[in-house]
Amino acid sequence: MNWKLAGVVVAAALALPAQAQQSGEAVYKSVCMACHAAGVANAPKFGDAKAWAPLIKEGQAVLTAHAWVGVRGMPARGGNPNLTLEDFSKAVVYLANSAGGKWKDPDPKMLASIQAEEKKRIAELAKKK
Ligand code: HEC
């Protein structure tokens, strides 16, 4: 990468600080609703207990990590690179709980489990290539 380009990338990163500490509902409304309200591209719909039951069964750490990394039509980080893992996780909780889940906003222990699952998932995907 040439240095001028690197400077532009750094400036762009600084101009877009991570949006920390939003509620799951707020993140859902600003980022996820675009697809998960109507079920765009077969996204499991908000409140659809049948669609979410098998996903909730995967467990909070695994499901959150897979969604964070991206899966088929689901873009990594819901397509918003500025989301923190914590805020993204809260939005997953908000979605799961709309459809029968009883998850809690992630504590540091849960966030660590999600990050461990994220590493596993990335390694798995790299193997498939
Ligand atoms: C551009 C559309 C789009 C946006 C925006 C989006 N999703 Fe999704 N999401 C999808 C689609 C499509 C699927 C279904 C993927 C599949 O299984 O083929 C999905 C699946 C999921 C799943 C299940 C993943 C799995 O392992 O099957 C979760 C959890 C999820 N989304 C959470 C979120 C959260 C949280 C946000 C917001 C931060 C979000 N999504 C934003 C399209 C979107």
Side-chain angles (χ1 to χ4, degrees):
M1 187 189 292
N2 78 41
W3 289 110
K4 210 166 157 195
L5 187 59
V8 172
V9 171
V10 170
L14 291 175
L16 298 165
Q19 309 156 338
Q21 295 306 328
Q22 302 182 66
S23 73
E25 183 179 358
V27 175
Y28 169 76
K29 286 187 173 153
S30 68
V31 183
C32 326
M33 201 166 97
C35 296
H36 284 273
V40 173
N42 274 329
K45 276 196 213 173
F46 183 85
D48 183 342
K50 218 171 138 197
W52 282 96
L55 299 173
I56 290 168
K57 252 197 192 157
E58 288 182 20
Q60 186 171 356
V62 169
L63 184 68
T64 305
H66 289 184
W68 174 252
V69 172
V71 47
R72 294 176 292 266
M74 167 70 197
R77 303 183 181 204
N80 183 337
N82 300 318
L83 269 187
T84 62
L85 178 60
E86 185 171 7
D87 285 347
F88 181 87
S89 310
K90 287 188 206 162
V92 174
V93 170
Y94 185 71
L95 268 162
N97 289 0
S98 78
K102 289 196 177 67
W103 290 351
K104 293 203 179 85
D105 281 354
D107 57 12
K109 210 173 137 205
M110 176 55 77
L111 284 172
S113 307
I114 294 169
Q115 280 167 330
E117 290 297 338
E118 180 194 345
K119 287 202 188 105
K120 269 200 237 163
R121 181 66 163 184
I122 290 170
E124 240 174 63
L125 294 174
K127 258 193 251 158
K128 281 186 193 152
K129 275 187 189 149

